Amino acid sequence: MSGGNKTANTEPWGGFDDNPVQGSGSAVIDMENMDDTSGSSFEDMGEMHQRMTEEEEEVAAEAEAPEEETGDDGEFLGMKGIKGQLGRQVADEVWQAGKREASKAFNLYANIDILRPYFDVEPVQVRSRLIESMIPVRTITFPQKVAGELYGPMMLVFTLVAILLHGMKTSQTIIREGTLMGTAIGTCFGYWLGVSSFVYFLAYLVNSQITLLQILSLLGYGLFGHCVVLFITYNIHFHFLFYGLWLLVGGLSTLRMVAVLLSRTVGQTPRLVICGSLAALHMLFLLYLHFTYHKMVEGILDTLEGVNALPIQRVARDVPELASAAVNATLQTLGVMLQIRQSPA
Amino acid sequence: MAEADGSSRPFAGLSDVSISEDIPVEGDISMPTISSSQDDGFSTLDEPVKDTVLRDLKAVGNKFVHVLYPKKSKALLRDWDLWGPLLLCVTLALLLQGGSVDSKDDGGPQFAEVFVIIWFGSVIITLNSKLLGGTISFFQSLCVLGYCIMPLTVAMVVCRIVLLGSSGTVSFAVRLVVVSASFGWSTFASTAFLADSQPQNRKALVVYPVFLFYFVIGWMILTFAPAQ
């Protein structure tokens, strides 16, 4: 490149003709380099990016160089200079767009290759991990092993999506401004990724010996209990059955995760913080999923949205006594508070 | 160089043309035209549009037969197309359109939902099989999964007809049997086509999402009830 600049300086005429060609020449060279590195590894990206920026700087330097020389030949070569600049600009834009596309495709391809090790499992392993997700291990003196694998969690999340769809349909849930499918996918993936990142953040705070991948795998396999419980209770509507399964199956899968986290955290308070928040989130999520998309929702929706009823008319609701008692208590409290506030006035 | 020669001797270029070395070049030029005219029996540029459409439809119909009778054939994999999947997907979505959970805003999400489930699901299954180390290409897998929806589309048509008659326990039983059979058929057919491209020990891992995918579609068909 510097050689090109030298020739441009010695021969003012050649500068206009040579530079665009050199620009495209450097583009070709760079594309070839990209192809070479694409096979090797992802660590080359930084180096490649650095090289790209260097190339860009050189192109910019070349673009500036001829403009200094237009003083002598500006009148003579006016048209040619404009043409050359235009051509250079177009070539530059094309080159930029091409580079963007190429690096995007390159990123996608590299990402698939990067993910491949996490899907490297055998059916037997998946089966044993599913069973182990229900068996809490009591050894907390040394760190328990956690497999960093994403096939099982992904499939469990998709299964949970399908079960949620089923629950939404049978409970005749109506979702405005969205589809059932989108809501189900958003809920499941949101829980999995969101809670994993949250727990990872907590683990970072309390200095636990666990990676994000291990948390993703652990929490994903923990969803197996949810799948089982929800699949049964969306079809068999007994509240006692649900509470039993919630405590038994959900509790077992939560205990398993808590045991793993206990074995990888040191100190009483850190253990309490991280295990308590994970257990609460996990158990409450199951409760939420069950009661949000349960048949009980019908009555409330009818009341709230007034499909068939007049606004003030009273509608019999199919709400269990616990919930209605809670509502009554809240109303009473509100009433008492209002009375208290009114009494001084 | 040639220009310098030409400027010194004005007629030198003409004498160059007539040199006998050019004759093999003519032969070379005529060779591609002969070969292209041999290929021309296959040219589709000047045939009627009807022939083109009919040939494509015949190809699609041929693949339908492959799905209905899933023997180990590479035809569905070798020349893949997405016309059949699109046709089946749109048909299924339109048939599911009439009934809706909410009778007020009829069907709007339903069509989109079916469409998204089918394409998104196929893409997920394909990515999964790629990640598990399958050797099938992206669009081949999409093609196979899309064509294998056909038994379920047929089941949807049957369900529609059954629902025209009555909507009691008997019709539910009939629909259950039909949908279960077509669900099994879809899974079996797609497995027969896809399993060869997978590592031997991981077939179960690839089949599970396929199973889930067709199960969701089959369940949607089974729970379909037309709007009153």
Side-chain angles (χ1 to χ4, degrees):
Chain A
M1 291 302 139
S2 60
N5 279 335
K6 273 176 197 165
T7 54
N9 287 333
T10 51
E11 292 178 22
W13 289 53
F16 298 105
D17 292 337
D18 285 350
N19 277 332
V21 178
Q22 279 179 358
S24 62
S26 70
V28 169
I29 288 168
D30 210 340
M31 288 301 286
E32 283 171 1
N33 283 343
M34 256 175 74
D35 283 348
D36 283 346
T37 53
S38 70
S40 61
S41 75
F42 195 59
E43 279 78 8
D44 294 335
M45 274 302 283
E47 190 192 337
M48 209 170 63
H49 184 254
Q50 196 181 351
R51 203 186 307 145
M52 278 176 178
T53 49
E54 282 173 11
E55 295 273 358
E56 273 177 26
E57 284 168 10
E58 281 172 7
V59 168
E62 281 176 16
E64 284 173 12
E67 284 175 6
E68 298 167 3
E69 301 153 9
T70 48
D72 300 340
D73 313 311
E75 293 173 7
F76 182 57
L77 288 169
M79 280 306 291
K80 208 175 175 184
I82 290 171
K83 262 188 188 171
Q85 277 187 349
L86 195 69
R88 200 179 304 128
Q89 268 187 358
V90 170
D92 204 30
E93 268 175 34
V94 168
W95 157 233
Q96 289 287 343
K99 198 176 77 179
R100 241 186 343 259
E101 290 300 313
S103 66
K104 207 189 291 175
F106 176 74
N107 274 339
L108 194 70
Y109 186 71
N111 276 336
I112 283 186
D113 263 351
I114 279 177
L115 285 176
R116 200 157 283 168
Y118 307 134
F119 284 73
D120 187 18
V121 281
E122 307 284 319
V124 185
Q125 284 176 312
V126 173
R127 202 176 58 207
S128 64
R129 279 171 198 167
L130 282 178
I131 295 169
E132 280 167 11
S133 78
M134 293 289 188
I135 303 168
V137 184
R138 280 196 60 200
T139 51
I140 57 171
T141 45
F142 60 93
Q144 294 178 19
K145 269 177 75 179
V146 181
E149 172 237 331
L150 291 179
Y151 172 84
M154 285 290 283
M155 285 309 130
L156 279 172
V157 170
F158 280 116
T159 314
L160 192 59
V161 167
I163 293 172
L164 268 193
L165 266 181
H166 169 69
M168 287 174 175
K169 289 267 184 178
T170 49
S171 73
Q172 311 211 320
T173 306
I174 300 159
I175 290 168
R176 317 244 165 237
E177 314 284 333
T179 57
L180 298 182
M181 183 77 190
T183 316
I185 288 182
T187 312
C188 296
F189 273 96
Y191 174 76
W192 183 45
L193 298 176
V195 171
S196 296
S197 347
F198 178 66
V199 170
Y200 182 60
F201 175 66
L202 280 184
Y204 173 74
L205 286 186
V206 304
N207 213 359
S208 290
Q209 299 291 318
I210 196 163
T211 62
L212 183 59
L213 177 69
Q214 285 172 325
I215 291 177
L216 279 174
S217 177
L218 194 66
L219 190 68
Y221 275 110
L223 287 174
F224 179 57
H226 285 31
C227 288
V228 172
V229 173
L230 289 176
F231 184 70
I232 293 172
T233 55
Y234 277 149
N235 293 308
I236 307 169
H237 306 283
F238 287 123
H239 280 299
F240 282 115
L241 178 68
F242 170 71
Y243 286 122
L245 285 175
W246 178 62
L247 282 178
L248 185 70
V249 180
L252 276 180
S253 67
T254 310
L255 271 183
R256 150 86 182 169
M257 294 195 295
V258 164
V260 170
L261 281 177
L262 276 181
S263 70
R264 286 173 171 263
T265 316
V266 180
Q268 293 294 324
T269 320
R271 280 180 174 175
L272 189 65
V273 168
I274 193 166
C275 298
S277 46
L278 179 63
L281 281 171
H282 202 64
M283 295 296 276
L284 287 176
F285 182 62
L286 182 53
L287 211 59
Y288 165 78
L289 285 185
H290 177 77
F291 280 113
T292 315
Y293 305 117
H294 199 253
K295 275 196 171 174
M296 181 189 70
V297 178
E298 285 172 58
I300 295 175
L301 280 179
D302 277 351
T303 323
L304 289 182
E305 296 177 1
V307 181
N308 300 318
L310 289 171
I312 312 175
Q313 196 177 348
R314 299 189 68 172
V315 178
R317 300 179 201 172
D318 183 20
V319 182
E321 288 180 359
L322 186 68
S324 64
V327 170
N328 282 339
T330 318
L331 284 177
Q332 278 172 1
T333 323
L334 280 175
V336 168
M337 284 173 65
L338 279 176
Q339 278 176 358
I340 290 170
R341 286 185 62 182
Q342 279 170 358
S343 56
Chain B
M1 295 289 282
E3 285 175 14
D5 287 346
S7 61
S8 61
R9 290 182 298 164
F11 298 109
L14 289 179
S15 67
D16 272 339
V17 169
S18 61
I19 283 176
S20 60
E21 285 171 7
D22 281 359
I23 294 170
V25 175
E26 274 178 31
D28 274 343
I29 287 170
S30 63
M31 276 304 285
T33 58
I34 288 172
S35 67
S36 75
S37 71
Q38 279 172 349
D39 282 341
D40 249 329
F42 216 66
S43 169
T44 58
L45 271 180
D46 50 352
E47 71 178 7
V49 176
K50 196 185 78 177
D51 287 3
T52 313
V53 172
L54 278 182
R55 195 184 50 245
D56 285 352
L57 281 181
K58 219 166 105 184
V60 170
N62 197 16
K63 284 171 193 158
F64 280 165
V65 175
H66 274 297
V67 173
L68 288 181
Y69 182 56
K71 57 184 191 303
K72 301 274 181 190
S73 157
K74 295 283 178 194
L76 202 57
L77 292 177
R78 201 177 49 238
D79 38 339
W80 54 268
D81 69 278
L82 295 179
W83 285 113
L86 182 71
L87 199 73
L88 288 170
C89 173
V90 170
T91 313
L92 187 63
L94 281 177
L95 283 175
L96 277 170
Q97 169 88 351
S100 173
V101 182
D102 185 10
S103 53
K104 270 195 303 176
D105 47 0
D106 191 11
Q110 197 81 7
F111 186 88
E113 205 179 328
V114 177
F115 210 84
V116 166
I117 285 180
I118 289 176
W119 289 109
F120 186 73
S122 311
V123 168
I124 293 287
I125 293 170
T126 307
L127 283 182
N128 178 52
S129 77
K130 291 286 274 190
L131 286 171
L132 285 172
T135 53
I136 196 167
S137 92
F138 185 79
F139 286 109
Q140 280 177 338
S141 173
L142 276 191
C143 169
V144 168
L145 289 169
Y147 270 104
C148 289
I149 296 179
M150 203 188 58
L152 286 166
T153 311
V154 174
M156 184 66 223
V157 175
V158 174
C159 283
R160 273 275 188 180
I161 295 171
V162 168
L163 279 169
L164 279 182
S166 66
S167 55
T169 319
V170 180
S171 95
F172 181 78
V174 171
R175 282 185 291 150
L176 182 65
V177 169
V178 170
V179 171
S180 310
S182 63
F183 158 68
W185 199 340
S186 288
T187 313
F188 174 70
S190 58
T191 310
F193 287 114
L194 290 179
D196 280 345
S197 65
Q198 298 301 330
Q200 193 67 30
N201 48 355
R202 288 189 185 166
K203 277 180 185 171
L205 299 181
V206 179
V207 170
Y208 175 68
V210 176
F211 165 84
L212 192 68
F213 174 65
Y214 289 122
F215 185 79
V216 167
I217 296 176
W219 175 81
M220 283 173 75
I221 292 171
L222 184 63
T223 55
F224 166 81
Q228 262 80 52

